[in-house]
Amino acid sequence: MTTKIIYFTVHGKLERAEFRADCSAADVKDLFRAAAEVGPHHILKMYNPSGSVVNISPRLEANSTESCYRLEVVASDLQSVSVSPQLDNMEYRLHHLESKVLEDVGKSPDIICELKSQVESFKRKLESVKNLSWMGLFKEDGHQQLSAFPPKPKRPQTSEQEERQQVRMRFLNMSSLQVTEEVREHLKTPIFDNWQWEEAEMLVLLQVMFTDLDFLTAFHIELHVLQNFLFQVYCNYNNIPFHNFQHCFCVTQMMYGLIWLADLRNKLGRIDLFIMLTSALCHDLDHPGYNNVYQINAQTDLALRYNDISPLENHHCAVAFGILSKPESNILKNMTSEQYKYIRGGMIKCILATDMARHNEILNKFKMIQPVFNFTNKDHKEVLMKIMVKVSDISNEARPMAVAEPWLDCLLQEFFNQSDTEKLKGLPVTPFMDRDKVCRPSSQTNFIRFVLLPLVTELTEMFPCLEQHILEPVRRALEYYSDMERATEEEEQEEGGPKP
Ligand code: LUO
Ligand code: ZN
């Protein structure tokens, strides 16, 4: 009997699992629970190299150490607590209906089986978001106690805390090593591939960005305080498909690349560069994976606290200054009070500017001033800094296709999670998030043609050297998805219309 070899990391360690191809699903799950050292009441999630969740079953594809999976313990089992009385009721009625039909016609129709499996999958999905009550998923009997900050999801302390401490130790051990000149130069380009680096290494590279822009000497930042700050930022990004620490790193690395490519060190003050880089780093802190439309429709704690005004972006900024309020991670502590006020004001403006509902407002203002831009004009500089953070935030498609494409998978996965939950709760569903409506190539061609391309075109008007590094790759990405869209349409015509 053939056996299957699976390579995966768990708690930061590379492991090798082996099981027979005829092994049962339950045995495979027990095998990975043993590897994660957790009991039967924990929920495991396996991620493939591109960050998508894969099913833990005998059909798991064999791999190699180069393409190993990542095993996560995401929550303790909630079987004991009913995740939703409505679903239990639906399940009961389904069983009752099925027994009636069996009596009358002797077999269970497909529709009943289909409905039962849908109820089962909704229960599993709800279990995994049970602890995220501050997104309004589970309002205990109607009124929610407003705490100072939303309760952090109750994840198992041991595995996640242990994993974070391991990342911290690896980060501090590596940070004393010299990063090669080749990596330093590569870090300044938009072709940097984030998928090749693990989290501790990304923390080292973020430290390199702050040191290579001379922020430590200019603002008297002690290295260990910077390291605490970076580690706290890492700890405050959530383990969700898109708006996670990898996205934070990508946005910060893109900002770092733009600063060097557009030679902004000779056009803006170092304090403005510091504001842009630190805003990029903090811009999605503690993102829950559910956007502002959801927060407002579900009347979550965040929407209530920020009166529906950019609830997420206000929260990201508040979490950033929560970290900066602790002396051990306050990289602003040796700055003058003028510098502190200017930096705080700049970060609030830049982070709030990442709310895509304000996209046209900000881009139109930039279009107006760009032809007459004046680097000594405070208002002009402010708009440019917002544009720089926005471009860094949404320009995955300026990266090589092999780097950008997995990001679209991650984004759609997060969007589909949200629309599934909206359907379940009877909330309005955003069309480009609905797994039953999204056509991947056309959603991306629309995004690039109407959102990303106009944005980077305007920035390239101001910094022509970005044509080759940013504008051209975005144009190529538009071509790529337009070709894919045409191919999909031709295929559908041959098959006589879109697939059901
Ligand atoms: C734009 C955006 C908003 C929230 C979260 C992610 C994104 N990003 C993207 N959206 N960031 C990068 C990308 C990307 O490459 N593609 C898309 N595609 C679709 C889903 C889209 O159209 N998103 C979108 C467009 C406009 C908008 O507000 C004007 C918000 C989302
Ligand atoms: Zn972002």
Side-chain angles (χ1 to χ4, degrees), residues 242-243 356 394 396-397 408 411 415 432 443-444 447 451:
F242 184 87
H243 288 101
M356 281 303 290
I394 66 171
N396 285 328
E397 292 300 344
L408 183 58
L411 178 65
F415 280 2
F432 68 67
S443 92
Q444 201 58 353
F447 169 73
V451 181

Side-chain angles (χ1 to χ4, degrees), residues 7 39 78 158 162 249 320 369 399:
Y7 291 94
L78 302 160
T158 51
E162 261 169 25
F249 175 79
I369 66 169
R399 296 176 182 276

Side-chain angles (χ1 to χ4, degrees), residues 171-185:
F171 164 37
L172 297 180
N173 293 339
M174 278 189 283
S175 66
S176 50
L177 305 176
Q178 273 310 315
V179 171
T180 65
E181 199 45 42
E182 185 207 354
V183 168
R184 278 186 139 80
E185 283 315 302

Side-chain angles (χ1 to χ4, degrees), residues 23-42:
C23 190
S24 77
D27 291 349
V28 172
K29 283 186 172 41
D30 288 348
L31 176 70
F32 284 104
R33 276 206 181 85
E37 295 159 10
V38 289
H41 295 295
H42 280 82

Side-chain angles (χ1 to χ4, degrees), residues 242-243 247 287 291 354 356-360 393-397 407-408 411-412 414-415 432-433 443-444 446-448 451-452:
F242 184 87
H243 288 101
H247 171 63
H287 196 298
N291 70 1
T354 60
M356 281 303 290
R358 298 179 52 205
H359 176 76
N360 292 323
D393 187 19
I394 66 171
S395 56
N396 285 328
E397 292 300 344
W407 276 115
L408 183 58
L411 178 65
L412 292 178
E414 196 170 295
F415 280 2
F432 68 67
M433 293 182 150
S443 92
Q444 201 58 353
N446 288 337
F447 169 73
I448 296 173
V451 181
L452 182 57

Side-chain angles (χ1 to χ4, degrees), residues 212-394:
D212 279 11
L213 286 174
D214 298 321
F215 290 160
L216 282 82
T217 42
F219 303 116
H220 313 297
I221 300 171
E222 295 153 277
L223 181 59
H224 73 280
V225 175
L226 174 66
Q227 290 169 337
N228 289 339
F229 173 70
L230 293 174
F231 181 67
Q232 283 306 315
V233 165
Y234 160 71
C235 292
N236 281 278
Y237 273 91
N238 295 312
N239 205 345
I240 51 183
F242 184 87
H243 288 101
N244 50 42
F245 178 66
Q246 285 255 22
H247 171 63
C248 153
F249 175 79
C250 283
V251 175
T252 311
Q253 189 274 323
M254 182 60 80
M255 174 62 80
Y256 185 69
L258 289 170
I259 285 172
W260 289 97
L261 286 172
D263 190 27
L264 289 184
R265 293 163 74 242
N266 295 318
K267 297 170 183 167
L268 286 171
R270 189 169 288 129
I271 198 164
D272 291 328
L273 305 181
F274 177 88
I275 289 169
M276 293 193 295
L277 196 77
T278 312
S279 298
L281 187 75
C282 300
H283 85 285
D284 272 334
L285 272 169
D286 199 30
H287 196 298
Y290 291 72
N291 70 1
N292 282 329
V293 168
Y294 178 87
Q295 302 296 325
I296 293 164
N297 288 339
Q299 296 175 30
T300 63
D301 276 354
L302 288 184
L304 290 176
R305 178 174 307 117
Y306 294 111
N307 304 305
D308 296 350
I309 302 165
S310 304
L312 286 179
E313 291 73 20
N314 271 296
H315 180 58
H316 304 321
C317 198
V319 172
F321 282 93
I323 294 170
L324 291 168
S325 69
K326 298 187 185 105
E328 66 274 13
S329 52
N330 179 10
I331 56 173
L332 311 181
K333 77 177 169 188
N334 295 332
M335 299 200 186
T336 65
S337 56
E338 288 73 25
Q339 284 176 321
Y340 175 83
K341 269 166 56 181
Y342 182 77
I343 286 168
R344 177 167 164 78
M347 282 180 63
I348 290 170
K349 289 185 181 81
C350 285
I351 294 173
L352 292 190
T354 60
D355 180 352
M356 281 303 290
R358 298 179 52 205
H359 176 76
N360 292 323
E361 167 215 325
I362 296 167
L363 180 55
N364 292 336
K365 204 177 284 182
F366 184 57
K367 281 180 178 172
M368 277 185 340
I369 66 169
Q370 187 275 118
V372 292
F373 195 87
N374 174 350
F375 276 95
T376 61
N377 180 317
K378 184 172 161 301
D379 296 334
H380 288 197
K381 280 196 298 183
E382 214 173 84
V383 176
L384 172 61
M385 289 162 72
K386 291 176 182 175
I387 289 289
M388 292 292 288
V389 177
K390 279 178 55 63
V391 168
S392 303
D393 187 19
I394 66 171

